[in-house]
Amino acid sequence: MSPSQQNKELYNSFLIDPYIRLISKRYSHLDINEVLTYAEIMPWEAADESHWLTQEQINRFTKRAIELTGNPQLAKEAGQYVFNLESTSFMRSYVLSFTNPHTVFAKIGEVTKQLVRSSTYTSRKLDDTAVEIIVKPQYGSNEEPFQCENRLGLFEATIKAFHYNLVAIEHPECIFNGEPRCRYIVKWSISKTAQMRRWRNISLTLLPLFNSSLLFINPAILLGTVPTSVCLYILLDRLAMGATLDEVSASVDHLSSSRNQLINQLDANYNNAMLTSEIGHAISLQSSIDKVINKVIKTLEKRLDFDRGMILLANESKTKLSYRAGFGHIDEHRHILQQASFRLDNPTSRGVFVEAFRNQVPFLVDDFETFERRHSTHSVNLAKALNVKSFVCCPIICEGEAVGVLAVDNLKSSRPLMQRDKSLLMGIAPVIGVAIRNAELLLAKDREFRSTLQVLAASIDARDPLTAGHSEKVTEYSVGICDEMGLGFEFRECVRVAALLHDYGKIGIPDAILKKEGRLTKDEYEVIKTHSLQTREILEQINFEGKYQDVPLIAGFHHEKWNGTGYPEGLQSEDIPLGARIVAVADFFEAITSKRHYREPMPINVALDLVQEQSGTAFDPQVVDAFIRYHKRHFNGGPYGGEGSCEVCKIRSKRLSVNAPVKIQETDNNFQGKAHDISLNGLYVTVPKNLQKDVYVKIEVFLPGQERPLTAAGRIAWDNTGDNRPKPFYPKGYGIELTDFENSDEELMADYLDVNLPQNGRLH
């Protein structure tokens, strides 16, 4: 046999199971792992009936087993041991679900296809108690003599499994005698049940003849022989019926066992199919990486038969792997995973996750001693800290590039991890990889889109230093109003973009008018008013689609008034797009509270009063009410705690000073920091990394005295790190607006604040 044929997978691991059970029972002093190690067979491979072995592995396994036991007949005895009562294999249940040896041998070709690829089996019935079996080797295969001996034992075990008596197994042709095939003739005697039925049927014929003959010899004796004959027949019939019932009962038991195993396998197959379907459906509805990962993890927890699971993702530079999400871990273990990272840029690293990622190969580890010898101290210490006994991990690959690692293990369950578990994960991982890559592309596209909008907005504001930042502040107010009114995410996004670009039409306004320090003339004001129409016309040339399709209308109509006296078209009340009504209030308030060439900024309380005065005339009353609520909820005076411009988000008055560790997750980057104050609506953090405004992040806050971190999603609302810091007395950092809490964490945060805040609350 060529080396390639020698290493071809030809034999199901079920074939070595009888050897293992036989050695464990009769040679308990031997270590079966020594045999498996010599044959280069992992214990999980031997236990997994979906795993296949090579001719070389089978040869080495049998050779070593015979050497250690000193039993040259071990192969034949292992064949005889196939269907013993200790076996719980599906194949045993399947074979014994037939009613007699003939039905088994008639199916031998179908059965052996599931176990052997090195040869083909056919059978022919010779009579009621004999069958001929032909075994032909496949081209290129090279079986060994012990396999012929093993078949002899297997045929014998098949006869005895049905409680028939084996008469003989003849072997007139053998490939090891130079023949092109192995030919076997298996003979057995009839079963006890068949014998009882035969005697019953014979008695039914002979007893009437016997009694009829007595009628001519001595009729009087019939008074004794007839009842005796009837009783004898009834006895034989009862014995035959009992034996038949026993045989049928055994067959039914085997059928029931086979059915249950088949149902379990069907359930597993259905569950796996639903798993892939649900993952595919779930990720098709998600756009961010975190949402994809969290949905996948929930589906894995629901569908997979594992106690724990997790997903590690590589950072953008592919220098390290970090934990992103998981299930089944206690808080202590989750914290360990969140703090751990695995270096990908170290060529000498031998961590199992690093090797799975780097070499794009899966691992199934169920021998921790072997694991300790093969992998890095870092991986071993982490596994011990997590109480890992065995696990499967596989790379998450997309378009030939690894993006992360998927890992599962069993902590409580006694079910061993097998090849089919590894195969299942390898089938799921590419689907996850595609979803992550799509989310990355969408994120990159969204970043590009947002940065383009920022540049467009800044290009207008930059024409005049006094109006720099105007569009961003209007956007902040507009988004806040949307949130206060409970409007959906997609609508809010449309309003956000429209607010950023609401003044883009001013690009066509001359500087002499735009930067004029005195009051505008009537003609100049008419020129200024044209910027709304120009904004709409310019934005209509941009292909805004989907949720952004109304951006030109909202931006173009933000100077319309509720009473119809606005411009450019004099729309009124509900005819004005809701988004335009929102931007109108935000734009007005920001304009009057900021310095302009022709006036100083208006005090906050005066500006709020003015907005309320124009409710129902210039502005939509509902929008005004929402803005007032939003402002009171989020702002408390100017950047130094007094009246002035609202440059800084003052997140709720009930804020608590803390010194709490935080973990922030931004796309595929994780980093640590400190929270300096917290509230239900946000927190102020210092981190060793530059963050971009309006970027969404995931935050974990480790509050003092809490058993676990509180988890929430948030948005970078304001930046306190530049040269012109709005809060110079704060350490350089960022204000984060909390947008969504996980599970009951909002309630836990509220309880924590209620316990630790003074009764009147603390204001900064």
Side-chain angles (χ1 to χ4, degrees):
M1 180 187 290
S2 66
S4 61
Q5 289 291 330
Q6 194 77 354
N7 294 318
K8 189 175 180 181
E9 294 179 339
L10 298 173
Y11 305 98
N12 189 276
S13 61
F14 166 80
L15 296 179
I16 65 172
D17 179 66
Y19 286 87
I20 294 173
R21 289 187 286 106
L22 179 63
I23 292 172
S24 299
K25 187 173 182 64
R26 296 185 187 174
Y27 306 92
S28 57
H29 61 285
L30 297 180
D31 183 5
I32 192 62
N33 287 322
E34 181 179 346
V35 181
L36 294 172
T37 301
Y38 182 81
E40 298 181 353
I41 301 172
M42 299 298 291
W44 60 263
E45 293 176 332
D48 188 353
E49 292 182 16
S50 67
H51 188 76
W52 288 75
L53 305 172
T54 66
Q55 183 71 55
E56 177 69 16
Q57 288 177 305
I58 290 290
N59 292 349
R60 290 174 66 87
F61 176 89
T62 308
K63 175 186 175 183
R64 189 60 176 162
I66 291 174
E67 287 176 354
L68 292 177
T69 60
N71 181 3
Q73 298 298 314
L74 185 67
K76 183 175 181 180
E77 292 179 9
Q80 295 168 341
Y81 208 69
V82 168
F83 300 128
N84 76 310
L85 295 177
E86 296 173 10
S87 176
T88 59
S89 71
F90 174 75
M91 190 57 65
R92 175 183 183 274
S93 299
Y94 173 72
V95 169
L96 295 183
S97 66
F98 294 106
T99 55
N100 57 61
H102 262 308
T103 55
V104 175
F105 289 128
K107 295 283 188 179
I108 194 168
E110 297 178 17
V111 173
T112 53
K113 277 183 181 179
Q114 310 302 316
L115 303 174
V116 178
R117 297 168 179 166
S118 62
S119 52
T120 59
Y121 289 63
T122 56
S123 66
R124 180 171 64 92
K125 182 177 180 180
L126 300 179
D127 58 41
D128 289 342
T129 57
V131 66
E132 176 189 66
I133 301 171
I134 305 295
V135 180
K136 292 183 179 180
Q138 297 278 34
Y139 176 77
S141 65
N142 188 16
E143 294 187 346
E144 295 292 328
F146 70 82
Q147 292 173 280
C148 192
E149 292 294 319
N150 185 253
R151 283 194 284 267
L152 291 171
L154 176 62
F155 297 152
E156 180 179 340
T158 302
I159 299 301
K160 292 183 176 180
F162 292 95
H163 306 291
Y164 284 56
N165 297 319
L166 179 69
V167 174
I169 300 180
E170 300 173 4
H171 191 14
E173 298 179 38
C174 183
I175 59 175
F176 300 108
N177 293 331
E179 305 288 346
R181 63 183 186 175
C182 276
R183 178 168 169 259
Y184 307 88
I185 298 175
V186 184
K187 299 178 180 179
W188 62 92
S189 60
I190 61 175
S191 67
K192 173 186 174 183
T193 302
Q195 290 175 339
M196 294 302 300
R197 285 199 296 263
R198 178 176 291 182
W199 281 111
R200 181 196 62 189
N201 294 338
I202 291 174
S203 69
L204 185 61
T205 302
L206 293 181
L207 288 175
L209 291 175
F210 173 72
N211 285 287
S212 297
S213 63
L214 290 178
L215 181 64
F216 299 100
I217 299 172
N218 186 1
I221 202 173
L222 291 175
L223 294 174
T225 59
V226 170
T228 301
S229 298
V230 172
C231 290
L232 179 60
Y233 175 78
I234 292 173
L235 176 62
L236 291 173
D237 183 62
R238 289 296 178 87
L239 291 174
M241 287 289 292
T244 301
L245 288 174
D246 289 343
E247 191 174 85
V248 171
S249 177
S251 180
V252 169
D253 288 342
H254 293 315
L255 280 170
S256 177
S257 175
S258 178
R259 179 204 63 197
N260 291 337
Q261 286 193 332
L262 182 59
I263 289 174
N264 290 337
Q265 186 61 45
L266 288 173
D267 285 343
N269 291 342
Y270 172 78
N271 214 35
N272 294 342
M274 288 300 296
L275 170 67
T276 304
S277 174
E278 287 184 14
I279 288 178
H281 177 69
I283 61 183
S284 68
L285 302 177
Q286 310 301 328
S287 57
S288 72
I289 293 176
D290 284 332
K291 288 182 178 179
V292 168
I293 296 301
N294 289 332
K295 192 64 179 180
V296 167
I297 282 295
K298 289 179 182 178
T299 305
L300 294 180
E301 182 177 14
K302 174 184 175 183
R303 290 291 179 185
L304 288 186
D305 185 22
F306 302 115
D307 296 335
R308 304 188 298 190
M310 64 177 174
I311 291 177
L312 307 173
L313 291 185
N315 60 358
E316 190 172 350
S317 58
K318 297 292 189 293
T319 57
K320 67 177 181 179
L321 282 170
S322 300
Y323 173 88
R324 288 299 291 267
F327 67 86
H329 299 97
I330 61 175
D331 293 338
E332 177 188 353
H333 291 168
R334 189 184 302 110
H335 183 66
I336 292 172
L337 289 169
Q338 289 167 342
Q339 302 301 316
S341 64
F342 305 89
R343 295 287 300 274
L344 297 173
D345 55 353
N346 183 0
T348 63
S349 177
R350 295 183 299 112
V352 63
F353 295 141
V354 173
E355 289 194 9
F357 181 92
R358 184 181 292 153
N359 301 323
Q360 298 188 10
V361 294
F363 286 91
L364 193 157
V365 177
D366 72 340
D367 182 352
F368 202 78
E369 292 182 2
T370 302
F371 174 75
E372 285 188 273
R373 291 195 301 269
R374 292 184 178 181
H375 296 288
S376 68
T377 303
H378 181 215
S379 290
V380 172
N381 290 339
L382 179 65
K384 288 180 177 179
L386 298 175
N387 297 326
V388 172
K389 305 297 186 238
S390 62
F391 67 91
V392 181
C393 71
C394 68
I396 300 173
I397 302 171
C398 181
E399 297 178 351
E401 180 183 3
V403 297
V405 172
L406 172 63
V408 297
D409 74 322
N410 280 332
L411 187 65
K412 302 174 184 177
S413 171
S414 60
R415 183 182 77 80
L417 298 173
M418 297 186 178
Q419 172 69 19
R420 59 174 173 263
D421 297 317
K422 186 172 73 171
S423 300
L424 174 61
L425 293 189
M426 286 301 291
I428 297 170
V431 181
I432 301 174
V434 170
I436 292 173
R437 177 57 52 83
N438 288 342
E440 288 176 342
L441 293 174
L442 287 172
L443 180 62
K445 183 179 178 181
D446 184 65
R447 283 177 173 172
E448 182 180 349
F449 177 64
R450 286 173 178 264
S451 64
T452 301
L453 295 178
Q454 292 290 139
V455 170
L456 290 174
S459 66
I460 295 301
D461 292 350
R463 290 183 62 189
D464 185 351
L466 283 181
T467 61
H470 167 74
S471 296
E472 291 187 357
K473 294 169 189 173
V474 171
T475 301
E476 182 180 337
Y477 297 153
S478 298
V479 170
I481 295 170
C482 289
D483 290 339
E484 196 66 36
M485 296 179 71
L487 302 174
F489 172 77
E490 291 195 354
F491 182 83
R492 186 183 71 176
E493 276 296 288
C494 182
V495 170
R496 183 185 67 80
V497 173
L500 266 176
L501 303 176
H502 75 283
D503 276 344
Y504 197 72
K506 287 183 178 179
I507 197 169
I509 305 298
D511 283 351
I513 298 177
L514 198 62
K515 299 180 181 180
K516 184 176 179 180
E517 296 192 3
R519 294 187 65 86
L520 298 176
T521 66
K522 183 177 180 181
D523 291 340
E524 289 171 338
Y525 183 59
E526 291 301 321
V527 173
I528 284 287
K529 288 167 60 177
T530 63
H531 84 276
S532 295
L533 183 58
Q534 291 184 48
T535 296
R536 177 179 173 182
E537 290 175 348
I538 292 172
L539 296 183
E540 283 178 342
Q541 297 178 47
I542 300 175
N543 188 26
F544 286 107
E545 296 180 339
K547 61 187 176 186
Y548 299 113
Q549 64 182 355
D550 289 334
V551 165
L553 284 177
I554 294 174
F557 289 143
H558 76 278
H559 278 295
E560 298 288 356
K561 294 185 178 181
W562 185 253
N563 61 7
T565 61
Y567 60 88
E569 296 187 8
L571 301 178
Q572 62 180 354
S573 61
E574 300 291 341
D575 292 337
I576 307 170
L578 175 59
R581 286 179 258 154
I582 290 172
V583 176
V585 173
D587 181 48
F588 177 77
F589 182 81
E590 203 291 319
I592 63 176
T593 55
S594 299
K595 181 177 176 59
R596 291 295 184 261
H597 291 286
Y598 49 89
R599 58 164 173 76
E600 292 300 313
M602 186 178 294
I604 297 299
N605 57 339
V606 176
L608 290 173
D609 289 343
L610 184 58
V611 170
Q612 287 182 304
E613 286 176 11
Q614 299 201 34
S615 175
T617 54
F619 306 124
D620 181 346
Q622 290 186 350
V623 174
V624 171
D625 290 345
F627 174 72
I628 298 300
R629 291 196 308 272
Y630 159 76
H631 192 276
K632 288 182 178 179
R633 183 188 300 271
H634 290 265
F635 295 87
N636 182 41
Y640 305 103
E643 295 180 351
S645 66
C646 295
E647 294 183 16
V648 181
C649 179
K650 311 293 288 183
I651 306 174
R652 274 197 207 176
S653 59
K654 286 195 174 183
R655 297 169 68 188
L656 176 68
S657 292
V658 295
N659 184 21
V662 295
K663 182 175 182 180
I664 297 178
Q665 193 175 94
E666 178 201 14
T667 59
D668 49 3
N669 294 316
N670 294 312
F671 41 90
Q672 311 295 324
K674 289 284 186 182
H676 295 269
D677 64 38
I678 60 171
S679 77
L680 279 177
N681 276 18
L683 62 162
Y684 184 82
V685 300
T686 55
V687 292
K689 179 178 172 60
N690 293 327
L691 299 176
Q692 296 296 319
K693 190 177 176 184
D694 288 328
V695 168
Y696 285 84
V697 295
K698 181 178 180 181
I699 309 116
E700 290 187 353
V701 187
F702 299 85
L703 293 173
Q706 298 296 299
E707 296 181 356
R708 64 176 181 83
L710 304 184
T711 305
R715 177 181 68 90
I716 307 301
W718 56 283
D719 184 344
N720 195 44
T721 62
D723 294 333
N724 187 22
R725 291 160 56 196
K727 279 196 172 183
F729 51 88
Y730 267 32
K732 291 185 177 182
Y734 300 90
I736 300 180
E737 175 192 3
L738 300 180
T739 57
D740 186 31
F741 285 89
E742 285 194 5
N743 303 321
S744 60
D745 284 7
E746 184 173 14
E747 183 179 343
L748 293 175
M749 174 80 88
D751 291 343
Y752 185 84
L753 291 171
D754 286 342
V755 170
N756 291 281
L757 276 168
Q759 283 189 341
N760 60 348
R762 179 179 297 180
L763 300 179
H764 293 285

